[in-house]
Amino acid sequence: MNLRQLRYISAVARHRLNVSATADSLYTSQPGVSKQIKLLEDELGLKIFERTGRQLTRITAAGEAIIERAERALIEIETIRQAAQEFTDPARGRLTIAASHTQARYALPAVIRRFSRRYPDVNIDLLQGTPMQIAELMSNGTVDFAIATEAMEHFEELLLLPCYHWNRAVVAPLGHPLGGRRPLTLAALAEYPICTYVFGFSEHSQIDAAFREQGLQPRVTFTASEADIIKTYVREGLGVGIVARMACSTEHDSDLLILDAGHLFARATTKIGFRRGTFLREYMYAFMEEFAPHLTREVVDTALGLGGKPALDPLFMDIELPIY
């Protein structure tokens, strides 16, 4: 058994049993991946994957248990590497961040610019996706930090720290009837087709909850993961948009009606998350504080010591988070 074999079975599981995609992601050959998996199965004396011919069809029960432990082992090995590099070259390394499109487009550019000036020898990889995709990337050890608003609370192995609150806005073409409906109401909004985030009407979402509480059933005609795409299709006449307020600019969206919706929906809280047990390097602490100034090293270490999510609430009760 070796680390390469553990990486291969973990990657195959992440790529939904697609050996070709796995080989491409690992910069190796498909036969090489298959051979190493077979060698590991022979050594363990069991099947990790079921097959039909040469095609992997599913993960066996034993395979599920082995892959779970393999991924934990790979995370621990990376932690050892990070710890060693912290002592040999503390200002050099790589930081991988997964964030929603809105965070990546509007919240992170200035933060990353300042951080890069401070740590020029830290390479940054920024991955974008839906909240669920981000949480999964974080959970399986692909990224160091996850930045999102929803979905991450479903992964118990993640420690989530609140960064800031944000409100939503409704966008519509100039001259739209909603411009004359003051104050704006959910009932008025429900009269028109709606364009919003792909996760905006998922179970437990704040947007969906607000309409349900008033017994309204809005007609969602278009969803996307990025505010700029939503605004594009609002311009094309598909409906009125519900987006993050930070994604709206009077300079760049002068052709749109921008209506504050902070009174219609509960404010959202963006969080930064990382796996419990992660070895946090000096520049990782620095990034968190750059993104959310109240997340000092002392606060983060206290949160790590507190552990469980309920215990974190008192820690942030006296910290006034900014609102965007």
Side-chain angles (χ1 to χ4, degrees):
M1 183 187 309
N2 57 54
L3 291 179
R4 180 171 56 175
Q5 292 167 342
L6 299 185
R7 289 193 182 95
Y8 284 5
I9 62 172
S10 174
V12 167
R14 286 202 310 272
H15 286 89
R16 299 182 179 180
L17 309 187
N18 187 323
V19 178
S20 177
T22 300
D24 289 343
S25 72
L26 297 172
Y27 303 102
T28 188
S29 67
Q30 185 173 341
V33 172
S34 299
K35 178 182 178 181
Q36 290 300 320
I37 292 174
K38 185 66 168 58
L39 287 173
L40 179 58
E41 290 179 326
D42 290 345
E43 179 180 347
L44 296 176
L46 51 78
K47 296 293 184 185
I48 297 174
F49 302 102
E50 293 284 359
R51 295 167 174 80
T52 299
R54 295 184 178 182
Q55 184 79 28
L56 303 184
T57 55
R58 73 177 185 89
I59 303 172
T60 66
E64 294 279 3
I66 290 167
I67 291 170
E68 178 184 351
R69 286 161 177 78
E71 290 178 342
R72 286 201 301 234
L74 292 169
I75 289 170
E76 285 301 314
I77 289 165
E78 180 58 29
T79 297
I80 293 170
R81 287 201 181 98
Q82 293 278 14
Q85 193 168 14
E86 180 67 14
F87 288 99
T88 58
D89 200 350
R92 183 184 298 274
R94 180 174 295 277
L95 185 62
T96 306
I97 304 162
S100 66
H101 294 275
T102 298
Q103 304 298 327
R105 169 68 177 83
Y106 298 101
L108 283 172
V111 173
I112 290 177
R113 182 180 66 248
R114 294 192 301 266
F115 175 83
S116 294
R117 287 174 180 169
R118 184 174 172 185
Y119 292 94
D121 293 325
V122 175
N123 297 323
I124 298 174
D125 296 322
L126 180 59
L127 309 180
Q128 299 175 55
T130 65
M132 186 58 73
Q133 289 170 336
I134 291 165
E136 289 175 351
L137 287 170
M138 184 78 261
S139 180
N140 65 31
T142 303
V143 299
D144 299 307
F145 288 139
I147 298 173
T149 301
E150 303 185 46
M152 292 199 296
E153 66 275 6
H154 302 303
F155 294 80
E156 295 182 357
E157 67 272 28
L158 304 184
L159 181 66
L160 305 177
L161 305 178
C163 299
Y164 59 84
H165 303 305
W166 54 271
N167 289 321
R168 296 171 177 83
V170 171
V171 293
L174 290 177
H176 193 279
L178 280 179
R181 307 285 288 270
R182 304 294 175 90
L184 181 64
T185 65
L186 287 174
L189 193 54
E191 294 175 13
Y192 300 94
I194 291 175
C195 306
T196 191
Y197 297 110
V198 67
F199 52 87
F201 281 85
S202 61
E203 186 181 5
H204 306 308
S205 80
Q206 293 166 325
I207 296 177
D208 185 44
F211 282 103
R212 279 191 286 105
E213 285 174 5
Q214 295 195 17
L216 299 170
Q217 292 186 332
R219 182 160 54 97
V220 181
T221 57
F222 179 82
T223 63
S225 59
E226 187 176 352
D228 287 341
I229 294 177
I230 293 169
K231 289 186 290 183
T232 294
Y233 283 87
V234 168
R235 292 181 173 101
E236 293 296 326
L238 265 72
V240 297
I242 302 174
V243 297
R245 182 64 183 84
M246 72 178 80
C248 300
S249 162
T250 53
E251 177 184 357
H252 297 105
D253 300 314
S254 58
D255 58 333
L256 292 176
L257 180 68
I258 302 173
L259 303 172
D260 180 71
H263 62 293
L264 298 181
F265 308 105
R267 66 187 184 187
T269 302
T270 289
K271 306 177 186 71
I272 188 166
F274 55 90
R275 294 181 307 277
R276 302 178 190 278
T278 297
F279 181 85
L280 294 174
R281 299 191 58 187
E282 173 191 315
Y283 62 75
M284 297 170 79
Y285 282 105
F287 178 84
M288 283 189 279
E289 189 168 1
E290 194 70 64
F291 185 59
H294 61 277
L295 294 181
T296 62
R297 184 168 189 148
E298 180 182 7
V299 168
V300 173
D301 284 345
T302 300
L304 284 168
L306 290 174
K309 183 180 176 183
L312 293 179
D313 294 338
L315 178 62
F316 294 98
M317 281 181 61
D318 296 328
I319 296 176
E320 186 173 348
L321 301 183
I323 302 177
Y324 298 110

